[in-house]
Amino acid sequence: MSRRRAWAELLRLPALFTVPGDALSGAVATGARPGPRTLLAIGSSLCLYEAGMALNDWADRAEDAAERPHRPLPSGRIRPSSALAAACALTAAGLGLAAGAGRPALAVAAPLAATVWAYDLGLKHTPAGPVAMAAARGLDHLLGAAATTGRPRAALSSAALLGTHTLAVTAVSRRETRGGTSLPPLAALGATAVLARLLARGEGAGAPGASGRAGPSVRTGALGNGSVGGGSAPGQALRTGLAAAYAVTAGRPYTHAALNPSPPLTQRAVGGGIRATIPLQAALAARAGAGLTALAIAALAPLGRRYAKKVSIT
């Protein structure tokens, strides 16, 4: 039990619930329904995300020994060599699953894996760190589009929104053990407000993909239910509700951290930003007219909250 918990902490299992929505929202951004290749993209995303988590702690083991001695590696519950081996194996598995989804998916997964490794092994400690993390989340979104339709360009605009959110969260996270400044949470709060407004307005909802062709089900909502898709009143209500959920989930802890940038409140702001990724992904799916996919993504949020009570998400 103790060993399983140590691995759960190392891999930050509650954060896994923020991953499937990347591929799902990326798939419907092209105007297509999620399919078997989307599932391969989700599997690839999960593996690469967890590879990054294991590699992160391996690379930070000396720093964690001073600032987070309770973490699995500095506490001795997991050997550094085991964490590195897990990162390598998960990376290989992620690339293999992407290859199974087709060449377009692998063409996105390869730079995604490279970005994850570059971030963990050096970029995180440079000004390029938040940009690299934003790029990784954006590429993960494009992976779903590439695997599902082979047209990742159709999801570029939504990937930019997701990347902007990730950029803000990562900028806040750089101060989570020290706190001391209100600027990052204030900037993240402003970005959240702008993103929530764009999502609620639903610009581009139900629009055809970049190729100019609407997907096989975008007009009726992905997974085939038009009652909550497209530009209908229920679709607008869903977009607005999800945008509001995103704003509250991220905005409240950002506000607290801006008013009192202590390490505990800054850490809560980071956790809130990570959790807000799920309603953001759901809102992006609703924005594309994929109502049922949006609801499926949103359903991951309570599961993530439940497990976050047992294992820290940051």
Side-chain angles (χ1 to χ4, degrees):
M1 181 67 72
S2 176
R3 185 169 180 79
R4 287 198 298 268
R5 181 173 180 82
W7 279 100
E9 291 178 16
L10 177 73
L11 300 176
R12 297 167 182 81
L13 289 186
L16 271 183
F17 293 96
T18 71
V19 178
D22 284 347
L24 287 171
S25 58
V28 299
T30 67
R33 293 183 181 182
R37 289 190 175 185
T38 313
L39 294 178
L40 288 173
I42 292 173
S44 175
S45 296
L46 291 169
C47 289
L48 294 176
Y49 189 88
E50 291 292 49
M53 291 298 179
L55 186 64
N56 176 79
D57 277 27
W58 179 84
D60 285 353
R61 61 194 184 279
E63 178 182 332
D64 285 346
E67 297 182 351
R68 302 182 182 92
H70 61 280
R71 292 293 299 158
L73 268 60
S75 66
R77 289 177 291 157
I78 295 177
R79 294 193 303 271
S81 59
S82 298
L84 181 59
C88 294
L90 286 165
T91 300
L95 292 174
L97 288 168
R103 288 185 179 179
L106 183 58
V108 175
L112 170 57
T115 302
V116 168
W117 279 72
Y119 174 84
D120 283 333
L121 296 182
L123 291 180
K124 76 169 76 174
H125 298 300
T126 73
V131 176
M133 183 64 80
R137 184 66 81 163
L139 285 168
D140 202 32
H141 183 75
L142 295 178
L143 178 58
T148 305
T149 66
R151 303 194 309 272
R153 289 185 180 181
L156 282 174
S157 64
S158 51
L161 297 181
L162 190 58
T164 299
H165 167 73
T166 306
L167 178 68
V169 177
T170 309
V172 175
S173 74
R174 291 165 73 88
R175 305 286 302 188
E176 67 177 323
T177 60
R178 292 167 292 168
T181 176
S182 297
L183 185 57
L186 275 175
L189 185 61
T192 299
V194 172
L195 290 173
R197 183 180 181 186
L198 291 173
L199 294 167
R201 289 168 62 182
E203 293 179 357
S211 65
R213 297 173 296 180
S217 64
V218 71
R219 296 300 181 186
T220 57
L223 305 184
N225 188 336
S227 63
V228 290
S232 64
Q236 176 62 50
L238 181 62
R239 287 195 303 273
T240 302
L242 290 170
Y246 163 67
V248 170
T249 304
R252 183 179 298 171
Y254 285 159
T255 301
H256 293 164
L259 294 173
N260 179 11
S262 63
L265 290 182
T266 303
Q267 290 165 18
R268 290 181 187 177
V270 175
I274 294 172
R275 288 190 296 273
T277 303
I278 295 177
L280 171 58
Q281 295 161 338
L284 288 173
R287 178 174 177 263
L292 289 185
T293 298
L295 293 173
I297 295 171
L300 296 171
L303 294 173
R305 285 196 301 270
R306 176 182 176 184
Y307 285 97
K309 295 178 181 178
K310 301 179 181 180
V311 178
S312 174
I313 199 171
T314 66

